Amino acid sequence: MKRIAIFASGSGSNAENIAKYFANSTETEVSLIVANNPEAYVLKRAEKLGIESLIVRKPEFMAADNLIKELHKRKIDFIVLAGFLLLVPQKLIDAYPGRIVNIHPALLPKHGGKGMYGDRVHEAVVAAGDKESGITIHLIDANYDKGVTYFQAKCPVYPTDTPHDVAQKVHILEYEHFPRVIDEIVKTI
Ligand code: GAR
């Protein structure tokens, strides 16, 4: 059994969707949900799903040693960032080389980088007058949104679309593709 930890900072609708996708798998399970914010709704979702959760605040996350110990203790093989907003420290990348994947709600390299998350990304897409947006699933390295891209999917953006409209289209793509792509990557490790 391959064991996944999902890191999330807020609502966690992707985390829940991924957990449900693997719920009946005999090869892969979501074993742990990590949140950096004790108020994050993802913690309630974890409880309902019966998945263990950990709260790791920013200083502890950045120091990484204790978190790596907790991940090793639970034999975590792979890490998924699903709406997780802290920069991953090099120590954690070194502990899980090629085994940390992130989803970004736009077509990188456009609209990425520090501070570009959630609705801010969709606002930037509309402000730029882009004709399309989408999702990027990429392996992470020490820079925000700069790792090797593994998968992209696109949706149209119409001149009348609001950031909220774009967010909805992007969420549909996330729910459709992210679990499947994780499954594909995890099978190779
Ligand atoms: C998702 O759209 C994800 O792509 C985005 O945050 C949202 C989290 O939603 N991630 C980023 O912006 C990372 N830079 P969720 O908590 O409902 O899964």
Side-chain angles (χ1 to χ4, degrees):
M1 190 66 106
K2 303 266 175 58
R3 294 165 65 82
I4 295 179
I6 302 180
F7 293 10
S9 298
S11 164
S13 68
N14 277 284
E16 177 167 350
N17 184 50
I18 295 161
K20 286 183 170 161
Y21 174 94
F22 287 109
N24 297 316
S25 169
T26 53
E27 293 168 10
T28 305
E29 77 167 19
V30 175
S31 311
L32 180 67
I33 290 182
V34 175
N36 61 304
N37 167 10
E39 307 297 323
Y41 187 68
V42 71
L43 293 167
K44 296 225 165 57
R45 295 190 198 260
E47 200 181 322
K48 273 196 220 141
L49 290 160
I51 297 173
E52 186 192 3
S53 61
L54 281 180
I55 298 165
V56 181
R57 289 176 180 276
K58 189 173 175 180
E60 194 192 341
F61 184 77
M62 291 308 174
D65 294 314
N66 193 46
L67 173 60
I68 292 169
K69 222 168 27 188
E70 296 295 331
L71 295 170
H72 285 167
K73 215 196 296 180
R74 291 165 179 80
K75 300 194 173 6
I76 297 299
D77 299 294
F78 194 78
I79 296 171
V80 173
L81 310 181
F84 188 71
L85 305 181
L86 301 180
L87 184 63
V88 177
Q90 191 61 46
K91 269 189 189 170
L92 184 55
I93 295 172
D94 292 343
Y96 284 89
R99 290 177 175 226
I100 308 178
V101 81
N102 178 48
I103 190 161
H104 187 75
L107 298 171
L108 291 175
K110 289 188 99 173
H111 309 302
K114 193 167 160 53
M116 287 302 277
Y117 57 86
D119 291 341
R120 291 198 201 173
V121 177
H122 309 304
E123 281 159 18
V125 167
V126 169
D130 289 358
K131 293 194 167 44
E132 57 182 18
S133 190
I135 59 170
T136 303
I137 298 170
H138 63 99
L139 296 174
I140 71 125
D141 65 16
N143 299 305
Y144 274 103
D145 304 327
K146 289 279 169 59
V148 176
T149 290
Y150 193 89
F151 176 87
Q152 288 189 312
K154 293 177 180 175
C155 59
V157 176
Y158 303 119
T160 51
D161 279 350
T162 63
H164 179 72
D165 295 327
V166 179
Q168 281 186 324
K169 292 184 209 183
V170 166
H171 268 307
I172 290 169
L173 291 178
E174 291 180 332
Y175 301 151
E176 184 183 345
H177 296 289
F178 200 18
R180 185 182 62 69
V181 172
I182 293 165
D183 201 1
E184 217 174 273
I185 301 173
V186 166
K187 283 196 168 100
T188 69
I189 65 169

